[in-house]
Amino acid sequence: METPLLQEHIEPNLFKRSLLESKKLWQIAGPAIFTSICQYSLGAITQTFVGHVGTLELAAVSIENSVVAGLAFGVMLGMGSALETLCGQAFGAGQIRMLGVYMQRSWIILLCSALVLLPIYVFSPPILILFGQTSDIADLSGKFALWMIPQLFAYALNFPIQKFLQAQRKVMVMAIVSAVVLVIHVVLSWLLIFKLGCGLVGAAISLNLSWWLIVIGQLGYIFATTSDGAWTGFSWLAFKDVFDFVKLSLASAVMLCLEFWYLMVLIVITGHLTNPLIAVDAISICMNLNGWEVMIAIGFNAAISVRVSNELGAGNPQTAKFAVMVVSITSIALGVVCMAIILITRNDFPLLFTSSSAVAKEVTKLSGLLAFTMVLNGLQPVLSGVAIGAGWQALVAYINVGCYYVVGLPLGLLLGFTFDFGVEGIWSGMIGGIVLQTIILVVVTSCTNWNKEAAQAESRVKKWGGSTGED
């Protein structure tokens, strides 16, 4: 059984400290990044295959994947992220048996949330039309959304499982399962969409099956190994303190959903522009690529969340602070590399996603904004991971509302429609919101009293652990 983290002796030399912390971060971030890329690639690869079927089909799958499923993804990931705070700090404090109970509570909450979200899938055509999508795109997107309902319930089980495993640093298990499923998904998508000519039906079958294989594979590992004592079987304790658990889950969901939906709104707004089919396809391709890079940042988000929560739970506040500094520098450097790749290949990469020269030309025009967004992606998700690890979800939710929806979104609408800059103006304004939010989070993190955060973590572990009746 893994033991609680102990106060670690760290070399006084800054370079050696940085290398040691970087090694710890990459041990978590490397497999987590790989897992995120593999799982994101499931939808992205489906879009790529469908993009060679037709422009209407590509728009329909892009809208469903980015807006309908994207909304559900944001809610489920956000609700599940409460476990990053609770499981991470409990693991750091040595309360190993509580992790399985927390995961079961999260399953209950997320499955109920999936039922609440179900009408959005069922009534997606009129909802999309209300937000300005053309009827042909909305109708086909709605049909595809109905076929993708099984994915919604896979999300509800998957995210608590992942947070459960991440808190224990068992990220390699997730990476292996995701890699195997990705290979199956590519072969199955090619077979159903191209070879058998099943089109969107084949895409839905392949995508649903792949997400459920991920859930089954991870659960198989947990049930077979008991995860070093963190899983002790199903327990009625999962139904205790559900209301308090819901409050933390909702704060996590609001915080992350406001971030995930922000750029998804860009696709919806683009549907109001002249020639929306070309514009939607172009921005969807950009968001597809942006999403891949975000998956790298999410890996660092997971890593810093685990490091901060584990160290605060173990009473090591200065180690948590140093981890934040190291991961911030690392992720920014990777963001700059991604920006350079986009700018160098801006005339070539669009052809991987579409056969339409008009769409490819529009994507090339947007490559500068895409490149700058990738730099921001290097730091912003990391700061959100710090917030999750420390339990600041409610504070960051308020910051996100102000920066994204009071500043960024109105500015984007002003530039895009009033000043007639089109999709470039909409995106530029929304980038302004991300920049403002990032600056505020940098200030908040820099001014944090980490000793106080460690004391709050100890109080949180006692509160949640003490209410279960387990020693």
Side-chain angles (χ1 to χ4, degrees), residues 384-407:
S384 295
V386 175
I388 292 171
W392 304 339
Q393 288 93 326
L395 170 64
V396 179
Y398 287 118
I399 294 172
N400 288 351
V401 169
C403 295
Y404 290 168
Y405 298 95
V406 176
V407 177

Side-chain angles (χ1 to χ4, degrees), residues 31 39-40 65 85-86 111 115 156 185 251 269 292 306 308 324 339 458 460:
Q39 294 186 3
Y40 178 80
N65 204 23
T85 304
L86 297 174
L111 286 171
L115 292 174
H185 180 71
I269 296 174
W292 264 324
V306 170
V308 168
V324 173
M339 176 187 71
E458 181 182 3
R460 187 179 292 115

Side-chain angles (χ1 to χ4, degrees), residues 68-139:
V68 181
L71 185 150
F73 184 95
V75 171
M76 295 301 175
L77 178 61
M79 298 286 280
S81 291
L83 290 188
E84 291 192 55
T85 304
L86 297 174
C87 284
Q89 293 183 0
F91 181 78
Q95 300 290 330
I96 308 298
R97 289 180 294 173
M98 285 307 304
L99 273 65
V101 175
Y102 290 157
M103 180 172 66
Q104 292 173 64
R105 285 180 190 165
S106 191
W107 278 342
I108 294 168
I109 294 167
L110 266 66
L111 286 171
C112 292
S113 300
L115 292 174
V116 173
L117 291 171
L118 196 57
I120 295 175
Y121 279 69
V122 176
F123 300 107
S124 57
I127 294 173
L128 291 171
I129 290 174
L130 179 66
F131 283 98
Q133 290 300 323
T134 59
S135 59
D136 53 347
I137 295 177
D139 289 342

Side-chain angles (χ1 to χ4, degrees), residues 324-353:
V324 173
M325 295 171 58
V326 173
V327 76
S328 297
I329 294 171
T330 305
S331 57
I332 290 172
L334 284 176
V336 171
V337 171
C338 291
M339 176 187 71
I341 293 173
I342 290 296
L343 293 177
I344 292 170
T345 63
R346 62 184 179 276
N347 293 318
D348 301 313
F349 77 79
L351 300 177
L352 296 174
F353 298 90

Side-chain angles (χ1 to χ4, degrees), residues 191-403:
L191 179 65
L192 292 174
I193 297 173
F194 287 157
K195 194 69 175 177
L196 299 180
C198 296
L200 293 187
V201 174
I205 292 172
S206 178
L207 200 50
N208 282 319
L209 180 61
S210 295
W211 274 101
W212 275 100
L213 285 175
I214 288 174
V215 171
I216 292 168
Q218 293 173 150
L219 279 179
Y221 169 82
I222 292 172
F223 292 162
T225 65
T226 69
S227 204
D228 294 331
W231 174 259
T232 56
F234 293 98
S235 171
W236 289 107
L237 291 173
F239 292 92
K240 294 189 64 175
D241 300 313
V242 170
F243 179 71
D244 287 337
F245 207 96
V246 168
K247 288 194 294 184
L248 182 59
S249 296
L250 285 175
S252 300
V254 171
M255 173 190 139
L256 285 181
C257 285
L258 291 173
E259 295 177 4
F260 269 92
W261 296 343
Y262 188 52
L263 287 178
M264 292 171 194
V265 170
L266 179 58
I267 299 178
V268 176
I269 296 174
T270 302
H272 291 269
L273 296 172
T274 305
N275 196 358
L277 192 57
I278 297 295
V280 168
D281 281 356
I283 201 66
S284 296
I285 289 172
C286 288
M287 290 300 100
N288 193 337
L289 272 174
N290 180 69
W292 264 324
E293 199 258 351
V294 166
M295 292 305 109
I296 298 175
I298 285 178
F300 282 106
N301 174 293
I304 194 58
S305 175
V306 170
R307 291 291 296 134
V308 168
S309 60
N310 282 179
E311 296 296 349
L312 290 179
N316 301 327
Q318 295 307 311
T319 306
K321 179 181 179 180
F322 190 72
V324 173
M325 295 171 58
V326 173
V327 76
S328 297
I329 294 171
T330 305
S331 57
I332 290 172
L334 284 176
V336 171
V337 171
C338 291
M339 176 187 71
I341 293 173
I342 290 296
L343 293 177
I344 292 170
T345 63
R346 62 184 179 276
N347 293 318
D348 301 313
F349 77 79
L351 300 177
L352 296 174
F353 298 90
T354 180
S355 302
S356 168
S357 59
V359 174
K361 183 178 179 180
E362 186 67 21
V363 173
T364 299
K365 286 173 56 180
L366 295 172
S367 61
L369 289 171
L370 175 61
F372 184 66
T373 303
M374 287 191 164
V375 176
L376 292 176
N377 288 343
L379 182 60
Q380 189 274 337
V382 167
L383 296 174
S384 295
V386 175
I388 292 171
W392 304 339
Q393 288 93 326
L395 170 64
V396 179
Y398 287 118
I399 294 172
N400 288 351
V401 169
C403 295

Side-chain angles (χ1 to χ4, degrees), residues 392-441:
W392 304 339
Q393 288 93 326
L395 170 64
V396 179
Y398 287 118
I399 294 172
N400 288 351
V401 169
C403 295
Y404 290 168
Y405 298 95
V406 176
V407 177
L409 185 56
L411 181 59
L413 293 173
L414 184 67
L415 293 174
F417 293 96
T418 304
F419 291 98
D420 202 27
F421 286 115
V423 65
E424 291 95 336
I426 297 171
W427 198 348
S428 297
M430 296 176 75
I431 285 176
I434 299 175
V435 170
L436 179 60
Q437 185 245 23
T438 302
I439 291 172
I440 293 174
L441 286 182

